[in-house]
Amino acid sequence: MNNQIFDMNNKNTIITGAAGKLGKSISFTLAELGSNLILVDRFKEDLSRLKLEIDRKYNVDVKTFEVDLENEYDRKKFVENLQEEIKSLNCLINNAAFVGTSNLKGWSVEFEYQSLDTWRRAFEVNVTAPFHLSQLLRNLLRKSEGGNIINIASIYGFLGPDWKLYENNDLANPAAYSCSKGALIQLTRWLATTLGPEIRVNSISPGGIFRNQPNNFITQYKDKTPLKRMAKEDDFTGIIALLASDASEYMTGQNFVVDGGFSAW
Ligand SMILES: NC(=O)c1ccc[n+]([C@@H]2O[C@H](COP(=O)([O-])OP(=O)(O)OC[C@H]3O[C@@H](n4cnc5c(N)ncnc54)[C@H](O)[C@@H]3O)[C@@H](O)[C@H]2O)c1
């Protein structure tokens, strides 16, 4: 086997939501493979802290961009600025999202209180931004051998919630989260047939990641999972390395489910 297939030296990768919990882990994985990083998130201080951590450990170039992905103008400005700094892009990882725990009005509440405004905002960040960034960045991706897009979806992009998990705790599973992730999985297939053969497009659907959720949730979640535990951020290192690199050069248009078997029943 050619050990170089995971090598991403001198390649450029964008990670949105890089300062978040999974985003950080993905950023470290890409740095480990040798890729230069373009880290995107909302707050400058979080990005600077992450850049410092990566700079200490790895010999890769790290650029940071403070972008509100909910804002069309911000997205365009980001790509314009980036085009002045890089000549090709190997990988775009759409990881930023409004998530179940995001603190938004009309979001983590019962169906009757979920607001249209928050539904629209979630779609803007979770699906419209990946669509728009893919469109704006397609030419930079074409300039790289093996250019590809990875969309971070969710098991709730193809499963309905089992409400027993949410009884007697304050966790939530908003409709807009689930539906926007479903749309992202479909966008992945649409883009794969549109941007091939030069650009590959895949999605990853993680299962629930352990974040000190209430005990009754964790116990039931583990019971429903053949591998008997929740995920940890490192569980996605392998699939990210596979999809971002040439190791997956014949894979496109697929949704890779990494959920300990939660969806296998
Ligand atoms: N945590 C889980 O159990 C789980 C399960 C399945 C899928 N996922 C997916 O994994 C991805 C990462 O989730 P996480 O758990 O690390 O969440 P997180 O909240 O720690 O990270 C999300 C990041 O996205 C950024 N972000 C949100 N809105 C933004 C905007 N408008 N502009 C720029 N950045 C913005 C946030 O600032 C944050 O850094 C998400 O796509 C999520 O849906 C998570």
Side-chain angles (χ1 to χ4, degrees):
M1 191 182 86
N2 172 8
N3 288 334
Q4 300 301 307
I5 54 175
F6 290 102
D7 179 24
M8 293 189 63
N9 268 296
N10 299 319
K11 297 190 169 175
N12 294 314
T13 301
I14 297 177
I15 299 139
T16 72
K21 296 196 178 70
L22 186 57
K24 272 188 197 164
S25 166
I26 293 174
S27 303
F28 278 99
T29 302
L30 268 301
E32 185 85 40
L33 297 176
S35 177
N36 296 323
L37 303 178
I38 296 132
L39 308 177
V40 174
D41 212 303
R42 276 179 298 191
F43 306 114
K44 210 180 187 157
E45 308 72 49
D46 295 341
L47 287 165
S48 307
R49 221 173 298 125
L50 178 59
K51 176 174 161 51
L52 208 68
E53 261 186 81
I54 295 169
D55 283 346
R56 270 198 214 115
K57 252 184 118 176
Y58 300 99
N59 189 20
V60 298
D61 182 65
V62 181
K63 300 185 199 321
T64 61
F65 289 85
E66 192 185 354
V67 184
D68 179 2
L69 291 168
E70 196 178 339
N71 184 307
E72 180 182 338
Y73 174 81
D74 254 37
R75 296 191 297 253
K76 281 191 194 147
K77 197 82 206 139
F78 157 59
V79 173
E80 273 168 32
N81 291 338
L82 182 66
Q83 276 165 338
E84 285 171 17
E85 298 205 33
I86 62 169
K87 297 281 158 275
S88 71
L89 177 66
N90 192 71
C91 186
L92 163 64
I93 305 185
N94 288 306
N95 165 71
F98 281 2
V99 297
T101 51
S102 296
N103 191 15
L104 302 160
K105 202 162 174 270
W107 176 246
S108 290
V109 289
E110 303 246 315
F111 179 33
E112 64 202 281
Y113 303 115
Q114 293 180 22
S115 74
L116 279 180
D117 182 49
T118 307
W119 167 282
R120 290 189 185 107
R121 291 187 60 196
F123 267 75
E124 189 71 28
V125 175
N126 295 12
V127 199
T128 308
F131 162 78
H132 196 199
L133 288 183
S134 303
Q135 190 179 56
L136 294 171
L137 291 161
R138 69 194 189 286
N139 289 333
L140 270 184
L141 281 161
R142 281 203 180 102
K143 288 187 184 144
S144 171
E145 282 272 315
N148 72 89
I149 299 171
I150 303 173
N151 293 320
I152 305 298
S154 164
I155 48 169
Y156 291 114
F158 60 89
L159 291 178
D162 174 352
W163 292 112
K164 286 201 287 298
L165 288 172
Y166 301 88
E167 277 167 16
N168 303 317
N169 61 54
D170 59 356
L171 298 179
N173 191 320
Y177 180 75
S178 195
C179 298
S180 60
K181 292 299 186 177
L184 188 61
I185 293 170
Q186 183 54 21
L187 176 67
T188 300
R189 298 188 190 100
W190 193 93
L191 287 174
T193 66
T194 306
L195 296 177
E198 296 92 353
I199 303 170
R200 299 181 297 105
V201 189
N202 292 292
S203 63
I204 299 172
S205 283
I209 304 172
F210 175 74
R211 299 277 166 77
N212 285 314
Q213 288 93 340
N215 279 338
N216 67 342
F217 177 89
I218 295 175
T219 308
Q220 290 191 76
Y221 193 96
K222 284 180 178 172
D223 267 3
K224 279 176 69 83
T225 307
L227 294 186
K228 297 296 171 212
R229 64 172 176 84
M230 295 195 73
K232 44 190 169 41
E233 278 75 14
D234 286 357
D235 287 323
F236 306 97
T237 302
I239 191 72
I240 288 286
L242 175 72
L243 293 181
S245 68
D246 289 347
S248 57
E249 67 181 0
Y250 198 52
M251 299 178 195
T252 196
Q254 304 305 312
N255 179 42
F256 292 81
V257 180
V258 182
D259 68 348
F262 186 91
S263 59
W265 303 105

